[in-house]
Amino acid sequence: GAVVSQHPSRVICKSGTSVKIECRSLDFQATTMFWYRQFPKQSLMLMATSNEGSKATYEQGVEKDKFLINHASLTLSTLTVTSAHPEDSSFYICSARDWGGWYRGNEQFFGPGTRLTVL
Amino acid sequence: KQEVTQIPAALSVPEGENLVLNCSFTDSAIYNLQWFRQDPGKGLTSLLLIQSSQREQTSGRLNASLDKSSGRSTLYIAASQPGDSATYLCAVNWTGGGNKLTFGTGTQLKVEL
């Protein structure tokens, strides 16, 4: 149980295009999902918190108009990188918290990540 | 500022050795702490979750301890194997932090034959 998937696993796009990444909780409902970014040889940095049915909360320094987050259902959150540039190339990872998470000690379950390369 | 630090950044040990990975955090007001494993180019695999009220958690050859007063957690790996080679990350869920995780810098472990 507690499986989180991401799609696509890898994407290469041209500068200026937009890319959508999906994060799905497969066997539980997630009222809250988190989006992280990881640059090579570095740790994960939280970008935003995605809450089902409401606007995402962005961390300081993260442009909300560039990284659009939609959490339309209890099992799906999407991250759209708009007008992507080479500096947006990174590994994007999502995590999800079970809505009944306090039973599980609020453990977060992570997706396998999406490697974005912007040419 | 709430920060998480892991030392050493890299560690190389011979197969069979017992080893300890360290995680330090600057604020003792934590809700829980998780240890993860990350293989190159892959996502995170959750290893152990310790609640603030717990002192340790065990899973197989892994044992994680938590000392809030000193701001430290350790991950003990017994009888290390080459398959344990990976980057190990600790992450803190701060009290009142909305369940956001702050990750440490990671320890890259290599277990050699």
Side-chain angles (χ1 to χ4, degrees):
Chain A
V3 178
V4 176
S5 70
Q6 277 184 246
H7 178 79
S9 58
R10 185 181 295 268
V11 57
I12 301 173
C13 69
K14 292 182 179 180
S15 184
T17 61
S18 295
V19 175
K20 179 184 285 188
I21 302 170
E22 294 184 347
C23 177
R24 293 181 185 272
S25 56
L26 299 185
D27 51 3
F28 65 99
Q29 294 181 321
T31 53
T32 305
M33 290 183 173
F34 302 89
W35 287 96
Y36 296 84
R37 181 167 54 183
Q38 185 178 34
F39 291 108
K41 304 291 186 182
Q42 296 187 25
S43 192
L44 279 75
M45 296 297 293
L46 179 67
M47 298 176 64
T49 301
S50 170
N51 297 297
E52 187 267 337
S54 64
K55 291 183 178 180
T57 303
Y58 291 82
E59 294 300 298
Q60 190 173 11
V62 178
E63 300 176 58
K64 63 180 181 179
D65 294 330
K66 181 168 185 64
F67 298 100
L68 300 179
I69 291 173
N70 184 278
H71 193 156
S73 78
L74 286 173
T75 59
L76 173 65
S77 175
T78 60
L79 168 68
T80 301
V81 183
T82 62
S83 187
H85 288 94
E87 57 266 31
D88 298 323
S89 298
S90 187
F91 193 53
Y92 293 86
I93 306 177
C94 72
S95 71
R97 175 177 168 267
D98 192 329
W99 77 273
W102 66 274
Y103 282 112
R104 305 175 195 243
N106 287 317
E107 184 175 2
Q108 289 189 28
F109 304 97
F110 282 76
T114 296
R115 174 77 58 192
L116 170 63
T117 302
V118 184
L119 302 177
Chain B
K1 184 180 178 182
Q2 295 170 324
E3 296 180 334
V4 181
T5 306
Q6 291 182 248
I7 295 174
L11 180 64
S12 182
V13 300
E15 182 181 11
E17 190 164 300
N18 301 325
L19 59 101
V20 175
L21 305 181
N22 297 296
C23 173
S24 300
F25 44 92
T26 55
D27 187 346
S28 62
I30 72 170
Y31 186 84
N32 60 39
L33 183 148
Q34 279 184 261
W35 280 94
F36 296 91
R37 167 188 174 137
Q38 185 175 32
D39 292 286
K42 304 293 184 182
L44 303 182
T45 300
S46 180
L47 299 174
L48 290 164
L49 168 70
I50 310 179
Q51 300 297 339
S52 63
S53 59
Q54 299 174 323
R55 300 281 293 187
E56 65 178 335
Q57 281 284 351
T58 298
S59 176
R61 294 183 293 110
L62 305 179
N63 175 277
S65 68
L66 176 65
D67 184 344
K68 288 192 301 179
S69 62
S70 66
R72 293 184 60 188
S73 176
T74 61
L75 179 66
Y76 175 84
I77 302 177
S80 58
Q81 304 170 357
D84 294 330
S85 298
T87 296
Y88 290 81
L89 297 162
C90 69
V92 172
N93 181 353
W94 308 103
T95 301
N99 291 305
K100 297 186 292 187
L101 294 180
T102 301
F103 279 84
T105 45
T107 294
Q108 187 174 8
L109 172 66
K110 183 176 182 181
V111 181
E112 300 175 315
L113 291 169

